[in-house]
Amino acid sequence: MMMARSRMRSAGLAVALQKGFIKKMGFYSYSSKFLMSPSLVSLDLPDVWTHNSSHNHSHPLPSVCSYQHSATVIDGKSIAEEVRSSIGSEVKGMKESIGKVPGLAVILAGQRRDSQTYVHNKIKACEEAGIKSIVTEFPDDCTENEVLDALSNFNEDKSIHGVLVQLPLPQHLDEGKILDAVLLEKDVDGIHPVNMGNLAMRGREPLFIPCTPKGCIELLIRSGVEIMGKNAVLDKDGFTNIFGQRHHATVSIIHAFTKNPETITKEADIVVSAAGVPNLVRGSWLKPGAVVLDVGTCPVEDASCECGYRLVGDVCYEEAVRLVSAITPVPGGVGPMTIAMLLSNTLDSAKRVYGLT
């Protein structure tokens, strides 16, 4: 749903927790069998209208409207740990067979506490999975050239397979110019114009799917939620193409200038909110039985917390949980899956570089 330039953080038909080692050309090839999301090309269907608008599925998944007043909490943390464990197994196998591991570099400009926490969590996840990680930090008053020079070094470093710029950047920096400087082949955040373009086009596979939308799709699939043909209210950027163009939901886009957002959202079977506004989406906005993915992570000052703040979501959880069929908590929902997809994209990038398929 709505968003305040959060990130476009956001696949192979796969079986969860299955990993393959295939000997090929003198070394072992690894296939990412830990994600359940199918490849995007495999989802492409002819856009042919028929008089019967219903879809016949040989194995229909439960309708979101069949659940009433018994919300399931989608445990993104647990699912992400499962995915990261499988990634770790592949990284270990890669190291044992070719002596290489994936590498991720992160640029952190500024001293925002929430950004520092997000980067810390990403680096910790890399360490646990055996992925090499490097963080280059800059103060709030850093220059654009300093950031661009660091990006250039990471682009040229053959041990680095993924480069991530933590957003938001200090206001005096040109975000577009800096993001465009990330090498396409290392754009593990999936926000390079070529990756975004291929995501939007049928018959194309981007090198990387943005991490947050990719994680959301994985959560829905693992939770048995049907996407095709459902009404989905989303934010206006990274989620629209993957939900609408590739997974065939009927998408409505809500933003800060939308009139009657409550009325539009109340028609949705699936609501994805990434506005970054605490408790923006109230229970009155939601249809009974809807599925809610709360992408918003809003730092709210709280002296009782060790870090001085706590994270809350866009959705008023206490109201929504009594009404919807399934919902992600904040924290512990979409956030951990976003990090897991970042690791997945970094692993895929390394396998591509080393000829592992």
Side-chain angles (χ1 to χ4, degrees), residues 63-68 230 269 287-290 325:
S63 167
V64 296
C65 295
S66 64
Y67 302 87
Q68 294 294 330
K230 296 298 181 180
D269 303 305
K287 180 170 73 173
S325 64

Side-chain angles (χ1 to χ4, degrees), residues 89-265:
S89 296
E90 287 210 20
V91 172
K92 181 180 179 182
M94 178 185 292
K95 184 175 182 179
E96 290 174 348
S97 63
I98 65 172
K100 305 286 187 180
V101 298
L104 174 69
V106 180
I107 298 285
L108 175 59
Q111 276 81 45
R112 284 179 57 113
R113 290 181 300 172
D114 54 337
S115 292
Q116 291 170 338
T117 298
Y118 301 149
V119 170
H120 171 77
N121 291 340
K122 291 167 184 174
I123 298 307
K124 181 180 178 183
C126 284
E127 292 173 353
E128 292 174 352
I131 294 174
K132 171 185 174 180
S133 60
I134 301 174
V135 179
T136 296
E137 299 186 44
F138 295 99
D140 282 311
D141 60 353
C142 63
T143 67
E144 202 166 271
N145 285 337
E146 287 177 320
V147 177
L148 291 172
D149 286 345
L151 281 175
S152 178
N153 290 334
F154 288 142
N155 283 341
E156 295 174 4
D157 189 338
K158 295 186 183 302
S159 71
I160 296 299
H161 308 96
V163 177
L164 171 72
V165 178
Q166 182 66 42
L167 298 181
L169 294 169
Q171 290 187 352
H172 68 281
L173 299 179
D174 186 336
E175 182 179 290
K177 182 177 180 180
I178 289 173
L179 294 179
D180 286 347
V182 177
L183 195 67
L184 171 63
E185 293 80 3
K186 298 188 179 186
D187 173 40
V188 288
D189 219 17
I191 57 178
H192 190 284
V194 174
N195 278 322
M196 294 299 291
N198 284 332
L199 179 63
M201 298 176 67
R202 293 187 179 191
R204 302 287 185 91
E205 286 277 359
L207 287 178
F208 307 102
I209 298 174
C211 300
T212 301
K214 183 176 180 178
C216 287
I217 292 293
E218 187 72 14
L219 286 175
L220 291 175
I221 291 174
R222 286 175 179 254
S223 300
V225 177
E226 185 176 11
I227 303 172
M228 181 185 290
K230 296 298 181 180
N231 293 325
V233 167
L234 314 166
D235 82 20
K236 64 180 180 179
D237 287 308
F239 298 94
T240 306
N241 289 329
I242 194 168
F243 274 87
Q245 291 287 92
R246 310 311 289 262
H247 283 270
H248 310 291
T250 301
V251 174
S252 296
I253 303 169
I254 302 289
H255 49 72
F257 301 99
T258 299
K259 295 182 178 179
N260 303 316
E262 177 178 348
T263 301
I264 298 171
T265 306

Side-chain angles (χ1 to χ4, degrees), residues 261-293:
E262 177 178 348
T263 301
I264 298 171
T265 306
K266 202 173 181 67
E267 296 297 316
D269 303 305
I270 300 170
V271 176
V272 183
S273 181
V277 180
N279 297 320
L280 173 68
V281 181
R282 308 304 298 261
S284 61
W285 288 41
L286 301 169
K287 180 170 73 173
V291 173
V292 176
L293 300 183

Side-chain angles (χ1 to χ4, degrees), residues 314-326:
D314 288 354
V315 180
C316 183
Y317 186 86
E318 293 76 13
E319 295 177 3
V321 75
R322 299 196 298 264
L323 186 68
V324 302
S325 64

